[in-house]
Each structure stands twice: as C-alpha cells, then as structure tokens.
Amino acid sequence: PEESAGPTGRPGKSLDPCADVPPNLQGVLQVEFRTNRTLQDVRNHVGPFLQQGGRYRPTSCRAKQKVAVIIPFRNRYEHLTHWLYYLHPVLMRQQLDYGVYVINQDGDGVFNRAKLMNIGFVEALKEYDYDCFVFSDVDLVPIDDRNLYRCSDHPRHLSVAVDKFNFILPYATIFGGVSALSEQQFLKVNGFSNTFWGWGGEDDDMSQRISYRRMFISRPDSVTGRYKMIKHKRDSHNDPNPRRIQKLRETYSNMDKDGLNSLNYTVREIRKDLLYTFVTVDVQADV
Ligand code: GDU
C-alpha cells in the first residue's frame, strides 16, 4: 500500500524523488547588504514556508538529500540576518530537506571555528538523520542559486569565487568559506581538528585530511560558484593563530586522534527560532 503524508505533514514514500536539476532556480541573484533588515522582516519574508528550527522540506517531491547547514557563530547578528534572508529562499528552490544550525560559541574565549562545526555535526544528527553537512561562514551569500547546497561523490568546496578575492580561487587546495561533506566523508576524516584556536589553518587542515584519505575536492565552476562576502572588521578574540603553520605539518599524525573522536563540549542552551536552531556551547576555550 502507498504511504501517505503523516499527521506532521511529513511526506510519505509515495512522493516521487525531486528532479536532479531543481526546476525553479533563478540563476544569477541580486544580493545587497547595504540595507537594514530585522529578523522579523526575514520571518515575514520566508516564515510561512518554514517549520520551527529553520526546517524545510519540499511538499511536491521527495528531497534528494537531507542537509544540515551549520554556521559557526559568535556575535555576528547583522550578518546572520542577511544570510537567512538570502539563503532560505535559495535552499527552498533547491528542493532540499534541510535545517539551519547556528552554533554559537559562549563566552569571550579564543574562537574555534572548526570545533563549532564538529559540534554542529553531532548536534544536528541528534535531531534528524541528515546525510549531508554544509558548513558555511555567516558572511558568505551565493549570488547564483545553481550552486547546489548538496553533497557529492567527493567533499565539495562551494565558495570558489568570492568578490573579496576578485572572484578568483586564491589557491588550489582552499576549503574555507562554504563546504559540503556527506556523513560518510566527514566520518572518514574524523571531522575537523578541535585544536585550531583563533583565525586560520583549520580549513587547510581539513583539506589535507581529505587528501590523506584519498578523496578529492569537487567544486562548481567559477561562474556558478560566485559569492558576496559581507564586509567586516577582524573580530576580537579571533587573532591569527601563530601555531597554524606548524600545526599543518602535523595533520597526518594527528588526524586519527584529534577530531570527532576527541570532541568535548557542553551545550548551554538550544533555542528554536522559526528561522534557525541556535545552539550555544561552551567549547572549553582558554580565556
Ligand atoms: N565567526 C563569528 N564570530 C567571530 C569570529 C568568526 O561568527 O567572532 C565565524 C563567522 O561565521 C565567520 C567565520 O567564523 O564568517 C570565519 O571568520 P572570519 O570572518 O574572521 O574569517 P575570514 O573572513 O578571513 O574567513 C576565512 C574563511 C573561513 C575560515 C577563516 C580562517 O572564509 O572559512 O577558514 O578564513 O579561520
């Protein structure tokens, strides 16, 4: 017998799979940050289509992937508002079954982007059986919705052409900004390192993990992969990590013991907004 939509509106297995290429994409998008937006504006704009926690799934077809979008975060509320305003409609048009997780580092200790992303992976999986994880800086907005927030056969780097770098890939192995790994790919590399405190290196460490596990970095082309970055000053408590160069020489010997299998943290609060799930965590930083 055919399975129908359940009481929660969860589409049953009877829905046909969504198309490989989502039919309602717009291509190049107009993106503008020099305008005042509030979270309430964004809720009014996209709220009717969302479920609490920033969750969405298409109703006319069965999504190809279940995607957790993970944003490492502290004190960038204005950027988050722009990000939500632009990304929710894009992710909906891409027909993803997705949820948005903002992983907020508690306190004033040194920032640890990679550890926050590991935490996002673990916390999202406690809620739903996501199979793909997109890790995104809060200040990066795609300007082409053909850049699909999905996983592929190899780890995927999505932010290939950022306006700040004149729309050129700065170097071949770059993996920072916005990237996507399937659950299996992420487990294969033991997640990110937890030990990059402050700015820099953690993305290159992941890039090396990927190559040491004999995977490649896949990318969209440099037209589809265009992004706008919201301009900002360097945050406090996120100075360049002076140890990052040395640490990158140690990826191979450390990756099996520094990552998901050594992750320690305490969840302080999980707050559900219509637009996102906000997870505040103590990452055990030195202050
Ligand atoms: N972030 C915060 N609050 C902070 C610091 C950082 O929310 O106080 C988050 C944001 O999501 C931000 C991301 O961390 O977008 C990256 O931090 P920066 O913006 O300071 O770093 P860059 O713009 O130089 O980013 C580049 C890459 C990142 C990462 C970083 C090195 O785009 O993916 O690799 O370098 O750590």
PDB file of all heavy atoms in Angstrom, residues 6-7 11 19 33-34 92 108 112 118 120 134 136 156 170 223 242 268 271:
ATOM      1  N   GLY A   6       1.990  11.917   6.714  1.00  0.00           N
ATOM      2  CA  GLY A   6       1.565  11.674   8.086  1.00  0.00           C
ATOM      3  C   GLY A   6       0.956  12.918   8.696  1.00  0.00           C
ATOM      4  O   GLY A   6       0.859  13.955   8.038  1.00  0.00           O
ATOM      5  N   PRO A   7       0.562  12.834   9.966  1.00  0.00           N
ATOM      6  CA  PRO A   7      -0.113  13.960  10.620  1.00  0.00           C
ATOM      7  C   PRO A   7       0.796  15.188  10.749  1.00  0.00           C
ATOM      8  O   PRO A   7       0.322  16.307  10.814  1.00  0.00           O
ATOM      9  CB  PRO A   7      -0.492  13.405  11.996  1.00  0.00           C
ATOM     10  CG  PRO A   7       0.309  12.149  12.175  1.00  0.00           C
ATOM     11  CD  PRO A   7       0.651  11.647  10.827  1.00  0.00           C
ATOM     12  N   PRO A  11       6.204  14.116   4.252  1.00  0.00           N
ATOM     13  CA  PRO A  11       5.805  13.455   3.018  1.00  0.00           C
ATOM     14  C   PRO A  11       6.101  11.964   3.089  1.00  0.00           C
ATOM     15  O   PRO A  11       7.132  11.550   3.585  1.00  0.00           O
ATOM     16  CB  PRO A  11       6.654  14.132   1.940  1.00  0.00           C
ATOM     17  CG  PRO A  11       7.673  14.933   2.644  1.00  0.00           C
ATOM     18  CD  PRO A  11       7.307  15.043   4.083  1.00  0.00           C
ATOM     19  N   ALA A  19      13.636  16.334  -8.915  1.00  0.00           N
ATOM     20  CA  ALA A  19      14.461  16.285 -10.131  1.00  0.00           C
ATOM     21  C   ALA A  19      15.930  16.525  -9.787  1.00  0.00           C
ATOM     22  O   ALA A  19      16.247  17.177  -8.794  1.00  0.00           O
ATOM     23  CB  ALA A  19      13.971  17.349 -11.112  1.00  0.00           C
ATOM     24  N   PHE A  33      23.711  44.125   0.718  1.00  0.00           N
ATOM     25  CA  PHE A  33      23.818  44.148   2.185  1.00  0.00           C
ATOM     26  C   PHE A  33      23.637  45.542   2.783  1.00  0.00           C
ATOM     27  O   PHE A  33      23.546  45.689   3.989  1.00  0.00           O
ATOM     28  CB  PHE A  33      25.178  43.589   2.632  1.00  0.00           C
ATOM     29  CG  PHE A  33      25.443  42.192   2.118  1.00  0.00           C
ATOM     30  CD1 PHE A  33      26.618  41.910   1.429  1.00  0.00           C
ATOM     31  CD2 PHE A  33      24.529  41.178   2.326  1.00  0.00           C
ATOM     32  CE1 PHE A  33      26.866  40.627   0.963  1.00  0.00           C
ATOM     33  CE2 PHE A  33      24.775  39.893   1.854  1.00  0.00           C
ATOM     34  CZ  PHE A  33      25.949  39.620   1.175  1.00  0.00           C
ATOM     35  N   ARG A  34      23.642  46.572   1.932  1.00  0.00           N
ATOM     36  CA  ARG A  34      23.549  47.937   2.482  1.00  0.00           C
ATOM     37  C   ARG A  34      22.103  48.333   2.724  1.00  0.00           C
ATOM     38  O   ARG A  34      21.626  49.348   2.231  1.00  0.00           O
ATOM     39  CB  ARG A  34      24.229  48.934   1.537  1.00  0.00           C
ATOM     40  CG  ARG A  34      25.741  48.895   1.624  1.00  0.00           C
ATOM     41  CD  ARG A  34      26.346  49.686   0.514  1.00  0.00           C
ATOM     42  NE  ARG A  34      25.854  49.209  -0.784  1.00  0.00           N
ATOM     43  CZ  ARG A  34      26.239  49.666  -1.958  1.00  0.00           C
ATOM     44  NH1 ARG A  34      27.100  50.650  -2.035  1.00  0.00           N
ATOM     45  NH2 ARG A  34      25.757  49.167  -3.077  1.00  0.00           N
ATOM     46  N   MET A  92      15.231  26.547  -0.413  1.00  0.00           N
ATOM     47  CA  MET A  92      13.895  26.044  -0.765  1.00  0.00           C
ATOM     48  C   MET A  92      13.799  25.762  -2.260  1.00  0.00           C
ATOM     49  O   MET A  92      13.313  24.707  -2.671  1.00  0.00           O
ATOM     50  CB  MET A  92      12.831  27.079  -0.382  1.00  0.00           C
ATOM     51  CG  MET A  92      12.612  27.209   1.111  1.00  0.00           C
ATOM     52  SD  MET A  92      11.433  28.550   1.434  1.00  0.00           S
ATOM     53  CE  MET A  92      11.630  28.737   3.197  1.00  0.00           C
ATOM     54  N   ASP A 108      33.936  34.686  26.072  1.00  0.00           N
ATOM     55  CA  ASP A 108      34.897  35.523  25.345  1.00  0.00           C
ATOM     56  C   ASP A 108      36.203  34.807  25.033  1.00  0.00           C
ATOM     57  O   ASP A 108      37.200  35.445  24.696  1.00  0.00           O
ATOM     58  CB  ASP A 108      35.249  36.751  26.205  1.00  0.00           C
ATOM     59  CG  ASP A 108      34.108  37.748  26.221  1.00  0.00           C
ATOM     60  OD1 ASP A 108      33.303  37.725  25.280  1.00  0.00           O
ATOM     61  OD2 ASP A 108      34.028  38.516  27.196  1.00  0.00           O
ATOM     62  N   ASN A 112      36.910  29.199  18.056  1.00  0.00           N
ATOM     63  CA  ASN A 112      37.346  27.936  17.452  1.00  0.00           C
ATOM     64  C   ASN A 112      36.301  27.476  16.439  1.00  0.00           C
ATOM     65  O   ASN A 112      35.371  26.732  16.755  1.00  0.00           O
ATOM     66  CB  ASN A 112      37.571  26.876  18.534  1.00  0.00           C
ATOM     67  CG  ASN A 112      38.259  25.639  17.987  1.00  0.00           C
ATOM     68  OD1 ASN A 112      38.060  25.264  16.841  1.00  0.00           O
ATOM     69  ND2 ASN A 112      39.068  24.997  18.815  1.00  0.00           N
ATOM     70  N   ASN A 118      32.316  20.796  14.192  1.00  0.00           N
ATOM     71  CA  ASN A 118      32.184  19.411  14.683  1.00  0.00           C
ATOM     72  C   ASN A 118      30.958  19.287  15.587  1.00  0.00           C
ATOM     73  O   ASN A 118      30.197  18.328  15.497  1.00  0.00           O
ATOM     74  CB  ASN A 118      33.420  19.008  15.494  1.00  0.00           C
ATOM     75  CG  ASN A 118      34.593  18.599  14.608  1.00  0.00           C
ATOM     76  OD1 ASN A 118      34.418  18.315  13.428  1.00  0.00           O
ATOM     77  ND2 ASN A 118      35.783  18.573  15.197  1.00  0.00           N
ATOM     78  N   GLY A 120      28.299  21.117  15.557  1.00  0.00           N
ATOM     79  CA  GLY A 120      27.111  21.217  14.706  1.00  0.00           C
ATOM     80  C   GLY A 120      26.755  19.875  14.084  1.00  0.00           C
ATOM     81  O   GLY A 120      25.583  19.470  14.052  1.00  0.00           O
ATOM     82  N   VAL A 134      26.535  20.973   5.256  1.00  0.00           N
ATOM     83  CA  VAL A 134      27.141  22.136   4.601  1.00  0.00           C
ATOM     84  C   VAL A 134      27.614  23.074   5.707  1.00  0.00           C
ATOM     85  O   VAL A 134      26.826  23.472   6.577  1.00  0.00           O
ATOM     86  CB  VAL A 134      26.132  22.847   3.680  1.00  0.00           C
ATOM     87  CG1 VAL A 134      26.737  24.136   3.137  1.00  0.00           C
ATOM     88  CG2 VAL A 134      25.719  21.934   2.532  1.00  0.00           C
ATOM     89  N   SER A 136      29.019  26.660   6.649  1.00  0.00           N
ATOM     90  CA  SER A 136      29.074  27.970   5.987  1.00  0.00           C
ATOM     91  C   SER A 136      29.447  29.083   6.946  1.00  0.00           C
ATOM     92  O   SER A 136      28.869  29.213   8.025  1.00  0.00           O
ATOM     93  CB  SER A 136      27.711  28.295   5.368  1.00  0.00           C
ATOM     94  OG  SER A 136      27.722  29.606   4.831  1.00  0.00           O
ATOM     95  N   ARG A 156      32.980  18.751  -1.143  1.00  0.00           N
ATOM     96  CA  ARG A 156      32.756  19.813  -2.131  1.00  0.00           C
ATOM     97  C   ARG A 156      33.014  21.178  -1.516  1.00  0.00           C
ATOM     98  O   ARG A 156      32.519  21.487  -0.419  1.00  0.00           O
ATOM     99  CB  ARG A 156      31.317  19.707  -2.629  1.00  0.00           C
ATOM    100  CG  ARG A 156      31.020  20.543  -3.844  1.00  0.00           C
ATOM    101  CD  ARG A 156      29.775  20.001  -4.526  1.00  0.00           C
ATOM    102  NE  ARG A 156      29.291  20.869  -5.587  1.00  0.00           N
ATOM    103  CZ  ARG A 156      29.711  20.809  -6.856  1.00  0.00           C
ATOM    104  NH1 ARG A 156      30.618  19.923  -7.213  1.00  0.00           N
ATOM    105  NH2 ARG A 156      29.203  21.627  -7.758  1.00  0.00           N
ATOM    106  N   PRO A 170      41.683  31.582  -4.572  1.00  0.00           N
ATOM    107  CA  PRO A 170      43.010  32.049  -4.144  1.00  0.00           C
ATOM    108  C   PRO A 170      44.112  30.996  -4.279  1.00  0.00           C
ATOM    109  O   PRO A 170      45.234  31.328  -4.633  1.00  0.00           O
ATOM    110  CB  PRO A 170      42.810  32.439  -2.682  1.00  0.00           C
ATOM    111  CG  PRO A 170      41.341  32.646  -2.512  1.00  0.00           C
ATOM    112  CD  PRO A 170      40.687  31.713  -3.496  1.00  0.00           C
ATOM    113  N   VAL A 223      31.699  30.492 -12.405  1.00  0.00           N
ATOM    114  CA  VAL A 223      30.547  31.380 -12.597  1.00  0.00           C
ATOM    115  C   VAL A 223      29.445  30.999 -11.607  1.00  0.00           C
ATOM    116  O   VAL A 223      28.949  31.835 -10.836  1.00  0.00           O
ATOM    117  CB  VAL A 223      30.019  31.301 -14.051  1.00  0.00           C
ATOM    118  CG1 VAL A 223      28.739  32.104 -14.201  1.00  0.00           C
ATOM    119  CG2 VAL A 223      31.083  31.800 -15.020  1.00  0.00           C
ATOM    120  N   PRO A 242      49.150  31.833  15.797  1.00  0.00           N
ATOM    121  CA  PRO A 242      50.575  31.779  15.438  1.00  0.00           C
ATOM    122  C   PRO A 242      51.071  30.345  15.226  1.00  0.00           C
ATOM    123  O   PRO A 242      52.084  30.130  14.581  1.00  0.00           O
ATOM    124  CB  PRO A 242      51.269  32.410  16.649  1.00  0.00           C
ATOM    125  CG  PRO A 242      50.293  32.361  17.771  1.00  0.00           C
ATOM    126  CD  PRO A 242      48.920  32.317  17.159  1.00  0.00           C
ATOM    127  N   ARG A 268      25.065  24.736  26.364  1.00  0.00           N
ATOM    128  CA  ARG A 268      24.470  25.639  27.362  1.00  0.00           C
ATOM    129  C   ARG A 268      22.978  25.838  27.115  1.00  0.00           C
ATOM    130  O   ARG A 268      22.192  25.961  28.038  1.00  0.00           O
ATOM    131  CB  ARG A 268      25.179  27.001  27.326  1.00  0.00           C
ATOM    132  CG  ARG A 268      26.596  26.951  27.806  1.00  0.00           C
ATOM    133  CD  ARG A 268      26.648  27.017  29.336  1.00  0.00           C
ATOM    134  NE  ARG A 268      28.005  26.881  29.795  1.00  0.00           N
ATOM    135  CZ  ARG A 268      28.430  25.926  30.611  1.00  0.00           C
ATOM    136  NH1 ARG A 268      27.587  25.012  31.058  1.00  0.00           N
ATOM    137  NH2 ARG A 268      29.690  25.864  30.981  1.00  0.00           N
ATOM    138  N   ARG A 271      17.999  26.830  21.399  1.00  0.00           N
ATOM    139  CA  ARG A 271      16.831  27.692  21.233  1.00  0.00           C
ATOM    140  C   ARG A 271      16.320  27.542  19.800  1.00  0.00           C
ATOM    141  O   ARG A 271      17.085  27.646  18.843  1.00  0.00           O
ATOM    142  CB  ARG A 271      17.234  29.148  21.507  1.00  0.00           C
ATOM    143  CG  ARG A 271      16.067  30.123  21.527  1.00  0.00           C
ATOM    144  CD  ARG A 271      16.489  31.452  22.137  1.00  0.00           C
ATOM    145  NE  ARG A 271      17.630  32.084  21.477  1.00  0.00           N
ATOM    146  CZ  ARG A 271      17.547  32.766  20.338  1.00  0.00           C
ATOM    147  NH1 ARG A 271      16.398  32.899  19.716  1.00  0.00           N
ATOM    148  NH2 ARG A 271      18.628  33.310  19.810  1.00  0.00           N
TER     149      ARG A 271
END
